[in-house]
Amino acid sequence: MAERSIVTLEETLAALAEGKKYTTLRDILVTMNAADVAGVFDSMPETKLPLLFRLLPKELAAETFVEMEPEAQELLIQGFSDNELKEVVDELYVDDAVDIVEEMPANVVKRILKQADPEMRKMINEILKYPDDSAGSIMTTEYVSLRPDMTTEEAIKRIRRTGVDKETIYNCYVTENNRKLIGTITIRTLLLSEDDDVLEEIMEPNVISVSTLEDQEDVAEMFAKYDFVALPVVDQENRLVGIVTVDDAIDVMREEATEDFEKLAGMTPSDKPYLRTGVLETFRSRLPWLLILMLSATLTSMVLTGFETSLAACSALIAFIPMLTGTGGNSGTQASVAVIRGLSLGEVEFSDSLRVLWKEIRVAVLCGVTLAACNFVKLLVVDRMLLHNSGVTIPVAATICVTMIFTVFCAKTVGCLLPLLAERIHLDPAVMASPFISTVVDVVTLVLYFQVARAILGI
Amino acid sequence: MAERSIVTLEETLAALAEGKKYTTLRDILVTMNAADVAGVFDSMPETKLPLLFRLLPKELAAETFVEMEPEAQELLIQGFSDNELKEVVDELYVDDAVDIVEEMPANVVKRILKQADPEMRKMINEILKYPDDSAGSIMTTEYVSLRPDMTTEEAIKRIRRTGVDKETIYNCYVTENNRKLIGTITIRTLLLSEDDDVLEEIMEPNVISVSTLEDQEDVAEMFAKYDFVALPVVDQENRLVGIVTVDDAIDVMREEATEDFEKLAGMTPSDKPYLRTGVLETFRSRLPWLLILMLSATLTSMVLTGFETSLAACSALIAFIPMLTGTGGNSGTQASVAVIRGLSLGEVEFSDSLRVLWKEIRVAVLCGVTLAACNFVKLLVVDRMLLHNSGVTIPVAATICVTMIFTVFCAKTVGCLLPLLAERIHLDPAVMASPFISTVVDVVTLVLYFQVARAILGI
């Protein structure tokens, strides 16, 4: 619903910009959320951008700037005077400023840092030094810290005085000297307490925090588990250095899910949206797995070449190779994706391997037998009777269907075990397991097929 | 890190429970977050549960109850006296109560509703009547509503008086008579304003809200887009009926991502964790697609049977069928997964079809030519020279490599267009596109292979 209304609105706004009705345009833009304004701007011709941007009041301008695509941000910065740049930078939260700085070329970064006030510059540099994908790299250093001996009344006064610059005032952090984190307190608890309650007595002393180097994916998982809106980040000495807010955790969750999708499909993860990734970049992210899997298919060629004389003796078998390898691949993928997703949601661990295997074995037997039975009927009715494929005799159909049962069994076993093994040796299950499964299953299926054919058909 | 420390803690706590050191156990449990207590309880023997649960103070008990697995919840409720049940139900937020009620058998639901106070019962029944996966079904009806003519001071007083029962007090909603929603205000704005400011003048009048019937996936997307911590839900007449909080939006995001993974792997989505889904249930969720894809492979069999004589004339071609269909399938999956993910993140729309197609065509040419070139060298060096496969002549290698280029081209084209078409005709791209792609690509690859063989080898 939201999407649809924006599309028509975009057209109206484009017409207003075209007709230079800037006052009307401004009146509409100020009623909109920054994310929507950015959406409108991103669809406008680039040349109009600086003019449109200058229509916005200061705060909305900065919020909109944060939401825009890096290309548009760079374009705007290039056109800003030093004063205009300073106005935008002053309004930014430090974690947003870091995100922007990370996307910009060196000369733009220099200009941004030059315009930032000294404290902001120090904070930006602080966050930039943490490794990619760590808690430190996604945190903000603008939080409310309180002293344990403050009363509720004093705490609320302090929040009212200093809160305007903080990204969130909902969760406040109680620190001792040396910034040691000893408790947390929500604004809710503060508001629902008596004015003269002392923080030390009403704060939550059992703090759940993460270290600066914690993997951002684990940080996001903690938000999902504990339903937090912010999570404190501490250094080795338990000193509070920043907080991660839930909106950043949501971004991480979406990024990580997208990465898993990409890995499952045999692509090197990219952190850019699909349409903003260049052709060469997409090519580079896709080629390696295609190449590896193509080359590893040499194994299937070898198996098929080895059985060339058997195939010549019963050429009807050839027609069902794609069906068997395809069903094997699909069965294996079902098991592996279920386990990979379970691992990444923390529902399955390596220690569950036996339970997983036992479950998959039972599922495999049920699936294999049902598929084989349906296939047997289909082979005799469709292929033999309707399509007059005289090569499909009852022994040939039996060969195909017995192979089907073994194939599904092996595929599900391999499919569930490979991700668990990858996890065990600390490789990414999505990368290591999924693209290999169809290659492994192809080889296994073909070997099984010819062994079964030898046994049943005597070739 | 969190995970690791819980494992050892679990062992300690199990030992304490075993040794009946209940006072020590209680002292440790009260320092823990409810989600962690639930994790510990879920790993304890079932018979100990009622006793352990009674160790917890009232509020922590209710919070822990919410976080436990449905089986354990049911077991506990069966063991509760009416009084104990009432104590837990009284402490629940209404949306958590609804989640629990939805998982319980009818007789347990009856007992829960009987113990809930009349207002709670009314709210539970209200939410239960919204369709699954709608905004109404995940909202809570416990929110702070304020009047437009209140001053900041009056508003804060009201929040202090009534806030204890509300799921969040951070976002407050300004309503007129008849519950018409006319603005929102955060506790932050309230705290940072003057005591005598009137809400009407400081509230945000441009409210972003969703209707009760909005799809929960779209609701979750709005949280990602706007960085909200809560979102108001209104009925047809713009009357406020509830709010969705960010923790529930996160749960929806995770569920929906899991569903997409399952659909991509050809499974009917299940909302239960992997290890908690029974074998029969898993079998039923996996069989349909395996069956459909197996039966649709009849097409590939027909193509292969049709070209049986060509294959007999040049049997070396058979060995490379899995390599070609495999590379085709992988190329197609890369394109389809990229587009499907783009669609579900809102980065790609049907109107982008031409841009998507143009991009995929260029990527396909680059990938196809590179793969074909590598493959040509590999065929002559590895297969012909090292493996002594005398059937791999230069014309045969050329046939395989020319087919490779066409296959990758067709696979990427089909892979990117199928999801867009599915989206266009309002089918789920992940369900309709992904499992079909390898079947379509298999057939296309084989037909191409034999046409190219006919042209180059004259068979």
Side-chain angles (χ1 to χ4, degrees), chain B residues 158-442:
Chain B
R158 185 179 152 85
I159 293 168
R160 291 185 119 163
R161 209 172 55 239
T162 65
V164 71
D165 283 335
K166 309 304 181 191
E167 181 155 347
T168 180
I169 62 163
Y170 305 142
N171 288 18
C172 305
Y173 301 91
V174 184
T175 53
E176 278 185 330
N177 297 333
N178 300 324
R179 292 188 291 134
K180 275 259 186 348
L181 179 62
I182 58 165
T184 60
I185 191 159
T186 61
I187 194 109
R188 175 195 199 115
T189 309
L190 286 175
L191 283 178
L192 302 179
S193 302
E194 301 300 323
D195 279 351
D196 54 359
D197 285 344
V198 177
L199 296 200
E200 202 159 18
E201 269 140 39
I202 55 170
M203 71 184 188
E204 170 59 57
N206 303 295
V207 183
I208 295 177
S209 63
V210 292
S211 89
T212 48
L213 299 178
E214 185 93 29
D215 187 316
Q216 63 171 2
E217 191 168 2
D218 297 335
V219 176
E221 281 304 304
M222 293 178 73
F223 276 88
K225 180 173 179 187
Y226 296 114
D227 297 350
F228 289 146
V229 294
L231 187 60
V233 182
V234 295
D235 65 11
Q236 304 282 328
E237 279 86 43
N238 198 33
R239 282 183 306 222
L240 184 61
V241 291
I243 61 171
V244 176
T245 49
V246 67
D247 53 317
D248 297 314
I250 288 178
D251 291 343
V252 170
M253 280 175 211
R254 285 159 64 93
E255 264 171 44
E256 299 284 344
T258 303
E259 277 189 14
D260 279 352
F261 278 107
E262 289 171 331
K263 289 174 196 162
L264 282 178
M267 298 183 271
T268 317
S270 135
D271 53 3
K272 278 199 211 166
Y274 175 76
L275 285 173
R276 279 183 44 223
T277 319
V279 169
L280 272 180
E281 205 174 330
T282 304
F283 165 65
R284 274 195 301 268
S285 83
R286 293 191 188 175
L287 187 69
W289 276 110
L290 289 180
L291 208 51
I292 292 172
L293 295 174
M294 183 185 79
L295 295 178
S296 65
T298 305
L299 281 172
T300 57
S301 306
M302 283 168 67
V303 175
L304 280 167
T305 308
F307 289 94
E308 211 168 283
T309 43
S310 311
L311 284 174
C314 182
S315 62
L317 292 179
I318 299 172
F320 302 97
I321 290 176
M323 191 263 292
L324 285 170
T325 54
T327 305
N330 291 331
S331 305
T333 304
Q334 289 182 333
S336 70
V337 167
V339 172
I340 289 168
R341 189 65 188 156
L343 284 168
S344 78
L345 289 180
E347 295 167 357
V348 176
E349 287 170 26
F350 181 76
S351 57
D352 298 315
S353 296
L354 280 182
R355 281 176 71 195
V356 171
L357 185 62
W358 176 227
K359 174 176 167 160
E360 288 298 334
I361 284 177
R362 286 176 295 164
V363 173
V365 170
L366 286 173
C367 286
V369 171
T370 315
L371 290 172
C374 296
N375 203 26
F376 194 78
V377 174
K378 183 228 115 178
L379 285 169
L380 294 182
V381 175
V382 178
D383 295 81
R384 187 172 175 85
M385 287 168 58
L386 296 178
L387 299 174
H388 307 292
N389 185 341
S390 60
V392 184
T393 58
I394 290 187
V396 166
T399 302
I400 295 167
C401 295
V402 170
T403 307
M404 176 71 80
I405 297 178
F406 285 130
T407 297
V408 172
F409 185 85
C410 293
K412 294 249 180 240
T413 311
V414 172
C416 73
L417 289 183
L418 268 187
L420 288 166
L421 277 178
E423 173 86 358
R424 179 64 182 172
I425 53 176
H426 301 294
L427 291 173
D428 188 329
V431 172
M432 290 314 298
S434 196
F436 275 122
I437 283 173
S438 57
T439 308
V440 174
V441 168
D442 278 1

Side-chain angles (χ1 to χ4, degrees), chain A residues 31-96:
Chain A
T31 69
M32 290 168 61
N33 183 293
D36 291 327
V37 177
V40 170
F41 280 12
D42 281 328
S43 69
M44 292 274 188
E46 287 189 354
T47 48
K48 292 254 174 206
L49 268 191
L51 199 153
L52 290 173
F53 192 78
R54 288 187 183 105
L55 292 177
L56 301 177
K58 225 165 59 176
E59 200 183 335
L60 182 59
E63 283 170 19
T64 301
F65 188 79
V66 169
E67 300 284 340
M68 292 176 74
E69 303 288 351
E71 289 81 3
Q73 289 174 339
E74 193 182 334
L75 196 109
L76 278 175
I77 295 178
Q78 308 280 16
F80 281 160
S81 69
D82 283 354
N83 241 337
E84 283 175 316
L85 182 57
K86 187 171 173 46
E87 267 186 15
V88 170
V89 173
D90 279 350
E91 289 283 330
L92 294 178
Y93 289 122
V94 63
D95 57 342
D96 293 331

Side-chain angles (χ1 to χ4, degrees), chain A residues 284-420:
Chain A
R284 274 196 301 269
S285 83
R286 294 191 188 176
L287 187 69
W289 277 111
L290 289 180
L291 207 52
I292 292 171
L293 295 173
M294 183 184 80
L295 295 178
S296 64
T298 305
L299 281 172
T300 56
S301 306
M302 284 169 66
V303 174
L304 280 167
T305 308
F307 288 95
E308 210 169 283
T309 43
S310 311
L311 284 174
C314 182
S315 62
L317 292 179
I318 300 171
F320 301 98
I321 290 176
M323 191 263 292
L324 284 170
T325 54
T327 305
N330 291 330
S331 305
T333 304
Q334 289 182 335
S336 70
V337 166
V339 172
I340 288 169
R341 188 65 188 156
L343 284 168
S344 78
L345 290 179
E347 295 168 0
V348 176
E349 287 170 24
F350 181 75
S351 57
D352 298 315
S353 295
L354 281 181
R355 280 177 70 194
V356 171
L357 185 63
W358 175 227
K359 173 175 168 160
E360 288 298 334
I361 284 176
R362 285 175 296 164
V363 174
V365 170
L366 286 173
C367 285
V369 171
T370 314
L371 290 173
C374 296
N375 203 25
F376 193 78
V377 175
K378 184 226 112 177
L379 285 169
L380 294 182
V381 174
V382 178
D383 294 83
R384 187 176 175 81
M385 287 168 58
L386 296 178
L387 299 174
H388 306 293
N389 186 341
S390 60
V392 184
T393 57
I394 289 187
V396 166
T399 303
I400 296 166
C401 294
V402 171
T403 308
M404 178 71 81
I405 297 178
F406 285 131
T407 296
V408 173
F409 184 85
C410 293
K412 294 249 180 240
T413 311
V414 171
C416 74
L417 289 183
L418 267 188
L420 289 165

Side-chain angles (χ1 to χ4, degrees), chain A residues 186-217:
Chain A
T186 62
I187 195 106
R188 175 195 198 115
T189 310
L190 286 174
L191 283 178
L192 302 180
S193 302
E194 301 298 323
D195 278 351
D196 54 358
D197 284 345
V198 177
L199 297 199
E200 203 160 19
E201 269 140 40
I202 56 172
M203 71 185 187
E204 169 60 56
N206 303 295
V207 182
I208 294 178
S209 64
V210 292
S211 90
T212 48
L213 299 179
E214 186 93 30
D215 187 316
Q216 63 173 2
E217 192 169 1

Side-chain angles (χ1 to χ4, degrees), chain B residues 130-144:
Chain B
Y130 291 105
D132 270 4
D133 300 343
S134 67
S137 75
I138 55 168
M139 71 183 184
T140 176
T141 48
E142 294 163 319
Y143 51 83
V144 177

